Amino acid sequence: MAFHRRKSTIWLTAAAAAMALVAGGAAVVAVGSADGTALADGALDEGLFVDITKVKPNVKKPKPENDATTGTFTVDCGKNENGHFNPDNFIAQPGVRNGAQHLHDYVGNLSTNADSNNKSLQKAGTTCKNGDKSAYFWPVIRINKAEDDEEKAPPKKDDKAQQDKDKADKAAPTVECPDVASALPEDVPDKAQAEISRELENIEKQIDEADKRIASTQGQGGPNFVQNAILGPLKDKRVAALDRMEIAFRRLNQQAPELKQLAPCKLKDQNNKGLENGSENSDNAQAEGTENKKNQNNVEENANNELPGNEGEIQRPEVVDLQFRGSPTGKVVAMPKFLRVLYGDAKAGQNGPKNAKASWTCSGFEDKVLIDKYPICPQGSKVKRVHDFPSCWDGKNIDSANHRDHIVFPDQNGKCKKGFKAVPQLRISLTYNIPRNVQQARLYSVDSFPEEEHNPLTDHDDFANVMSQKIMNRLVNCVNTGKKCRE
């Protein structure tokens, strides 16, 4: 199937030029075509590309303190070999089919779409070898092809059945319990790790069993049935498991964390809000998204996964590296399950550069990272995107109204602001084998909202933590003890 020629026009106004940004010591300025005319034949404006060898090093790393954590935890979730693409974003545009208006590349959770929610994500399968069910997704890169160029496109998959399942999961009653892994201290003794991991696994099984019981007994009993028959016994089981975890610390003459306060769980349904942990922000956004969808005419991707303004040959990453890292200022605590995290801003051209991040570089030149330009790499080097996510969590919420305030970036010295805790920082590195002549001809670009016209400033990435608490505990242990773990 032939790909259509994309005729992009990049116009930059004086107002945009005034919006200069300094990042890593390099000023980011708006650029335009030399003669002010529109560019055809799929090539973007030459001002949006730069020879990486002519860029000065600009990456400044915080100086590690004495108690810096240097361990890493790398997850192998493949390279989207199963062809999971869609133009949805359940974090930023939940409930809206084609809410992103550009195509996302997914690894990890197999079910991810506009209607994904905690319950549906938990029930789904994963591409990650260690069983991590987290959702990792970013906009695809395409090469613009002339109309007579034939390339085989990854076909669009019909995910209506999955969407219907996710909507049903969203409407169904569910049990919400306080996260335990994120309440553990930074230093879990090595000799207690096995027992702590075992109990974390038991706790998740207890929640799963309670959810199944609620589903199978809907409509049974009186008004207190769920509390007496499900939530009460669940609390008792959690108290016992949490008590065994505390004993594991005391047995080693360690100060035991107070965990039994985390035993009570809550029902979440149409009449009950569930936990007060920020999840209502996702719920509110879902409701708003569903309502807005009625007023939007979002064209869905065609059979070749092309969208208006986002056409061409999809480039699959040659390398997908998902790595969790420590903090230069000390030890980290676990991320809570179902934490939502955003990197960058897909509408940076419209919203301004506040949340835009420097992402673009070339392999072997990672000390030079660009924010507003695509790199042209020398022979033997490959186009690379490096996405370092925010890593300072407010200690309570898994989401916030703008999907950013609950987890923010550390300062330039790597420190979290008052009231926030350092959690493992996710770094997603994507390496592409884009032919050098394509780079030089300015024929590759990232998918974007149509009005953003493939501005490299809009590169972004999304993550929802659906790791089991057992896996997250292993992750934190690796990071805090300086190990290099790969799963």
Side-chain angles (χ1 to χ4, degrees):
M1 183 74 181
F3 287 91
H4 302 294
R5 184 183 301 245
R6 180 175 64 230
K7 295 185 178 181
S8 299
T9 303
I10 305 296
W11 298 100
L12 298 165
T13 65
M19 200 170 59
L21 163 70
V22 175
V28 175
V29 296
V31 292
S33 57
D35 58 4
T37 59
L39 295 170
D41 297 324
L44 294 180
D45 191 292
E46 63 182 353
L48 292 178
F49 287 77
V50 66
D51 182 340
I52 196 72
T53 64
K54 297 180 180 178
V55 177
K56 293 181 179 180
N58 57 11
V59 174
K60 296 180 180 179
K61 298 179 181 179
K63 184 179 179 181
E65 297 184 2
N66 292 334
D67 54 351
T69 43
T70 58
T72 59
F73 186 91
T74 303
V75 186
D76 183 356
C77 299
K79 299 178 288 187
N80 193 13
E81 289 87 349
N82 57 313
H84 184 181
F85 300 100
N86 62 49
D88 303 342
N89 190 324
F90 75 92
I91 299 177
Q93 297 282 332
V96 181
R97 180 62 181 168
N98 190 22
Q101 298 178 270
H102 53 267
L103 203 68
H104 284 128
D105 207 346
Y106 291 87
V107 298
N109 200 283
L110 288 169
S111 70
T112 321
N113 65 76
D115 295 297
S116 292
N117 53 79
N118 293 351
K119 189 169 186 177
S120 68
L121 293 167
Q122 177 61 41
K123 289 170 64 175
T126 179
T127 66
C128 302
K129 290 184 177 179
N130 70 345
D132 172 15
K133 294 186 178 183
S134 299
Y136 305 84
F137 56 106
W138 50 84
V140 300
I141 287 179
R142 299 182 195 256
I143 291 177
N144 195 18
K145 291 284 186 177
E147 291 181 357
D148 56 354
D149 283 348
E150 295 286 338
E151 289 288 346
K152 185 177 180 180
K156 174 185 176 180
K157 291 187 175 181
D158 184 0
D159 60 354
K160 187 179 185 305
Q162 183 66 54
Q163 292 178 57
D164 291 342
K165 287 180 183 178
D166 292 355
K167 289 175 182 176
D169 285 334
K170 176 66 179 175
T174 189
V175 172
E176 288 192 342
C177 299
D179 189 81
V180 176
S182 60
L184 293 172
E186 300 164 349
D187 292 308
V188 175
D190 284 342
K191 291 183 179 179
Q193 281 291 339
E195 189 165 358
I196 296 298
S197 292
R198 183 166 57 249
E199 295 305 334
L200 287 173
E201 188 173 25
N202 286 337
I203 283 169
E204 298 222 327
K205 287 180 180 177
Q206 293 163 6
I207 297 172
D208 185 53
E209 290 168 359
D211 258 336
K212 290 177 180 176
R213 184 106 194 272
I214 285 178
S216 65
T217 58
Q218 275 191 292
Q220 296 182 19
N224 297 319
F225 174 79
V226 171
Q227 179 60 47
N228 294 335
I230 299 175
L231 294 183
L234 174 60
K235 178 182 176 182
D236 293 340
K237 292 177 183 178
R238 284 173 64 87
V239 166
L242 295 169
D243 185 54
R244 290 192 291 271
M245 292 174 75
E246 291 181 6
I247 290 172
F249 282 88
R250 289 195 290 269
R251 189 182 295 125
L252 298 170
N253 296 317
Q254 297 285 323
Q255 177 69 37
E258 296 182 5
L259 298 176
K260 287 192 283 292
Q261 61 186 343
L262 304 175
C265 300
K266 291 187 176 182
L267 175 68
K268 184 173 184 177
D269 60 13
Q270 293 180 347
N271 301 313
N272 298 278
K273 293 173 60 176
L275 296 178
E276 294 183 1
N277 65 351
S279 63
E280 71 276 6
N281 293 296
S282 296
D283 298 334
N284 294 339
Q286 288 254 2
E288 180 184 354
T290 303
E291 183 63 30
N292 286 346
K293 183 162 57 174
K294 299 175 183 177
N295 303 316
Q296 292 178 351
N297 182 26
N298 291 333
V299 179
E300 295 192 16
E301 70 275 30
N302 65 18
N304 292 316
N305 276 311
E306 295 180 319
L307 293 144
N310 289 300
E311 302 156 347
E313 179 189 339
I314 294 172
Q315 298 302 288
R316 313 295 285 275
E318 187 176 72
V319 178
V320 174
D321 190 65
L322 311 175
Q323 186 179 85
F324 293 86
R325 308 183 303 158
S327 165
T329 64
K331 295 191 174 181
V332 300
V333 300
M335 293 178 175
K337 195 168 186 177
F338 304 123
L339 178 72
R340 270 80 162 156
V341 195
L342 301 181
Y343 166 89
D345 185 359
K347 293 188 176 182
Q350 310 296 310
N351 296 337
K354 178 182 177 182
N355 292 313
K357 297 296 174 184
S359 303
W360 300 95
T361 187
C362 298
S363 58
F365 295 84
E366 287 86 352
D367 59 342
K368 307 173 181 183
V369 183
L370 308 164
I371 190 169
D372 72 330
K373 292 177 174 60
Y374 296 109
I376 298 173
C377 305
Q379 203 69 38
S381 177
K382 297 184 178 182
V383 173
K384 190 171 182 180
R385 300 156 78 185
V386 179
H387 301 155
D388 287 340
F389 282 69
S391 56
C392 295
W393 174 50
D394 69 5
K396 177 183 178 182
N397 296 300
I398 60 171
D399 201 357
S400 51
N402 63 0
H403 313 300
R404 295 182 188 274
D405 289 346
H406 63 295
I407 184 161
V408 299
F409 285 91
D411 65 20
Q412 61 183 3
N413 297 315
K415 292 184 178 180
C416 293
K417 65 181 181 181
K418 186 176 181 180
F420 283 69
K421 302 177 179 181
V423 295
Q425 183 186 49
L426 171 60
R427 167 177 282 185
I428 296 182
S429 300
L430 308 167
T431 306
Y432 296 85
N433 190 21
I434 298 173
R436 192 160 189 270
N437 66 314
V438 170
Q439 300 175 42
Q440 292 172 320
R442 311 190 305 281
L443 290 174
Y444 83 91
S445 61
V446 69
D447 262 28
S448 72
F449 282 95
E451 63 271 22
E452 295 292 347
E453 297 185 308
H454 311 286
N455 189 340
L457 190 71
T458 64
D459 196 19
H460 59 282
D461 212 326
D462 301 74
F463 169 68
N465 174 39
V466 198
M467 287 187 192
S468 69
Q469 294 183 66
K470 180 179 179 180
I471 295 176
M472 178 56 69
N473 184 56
R474 288 204 303 271
L475 187 163
V476 170
N477 178 257
C478 284
V479 168
N480 283 344
T481 57
K483 300 172 186 173
K484 308 297 181 186
C485 304
R486 301 186 72 90
E487 296 192 356

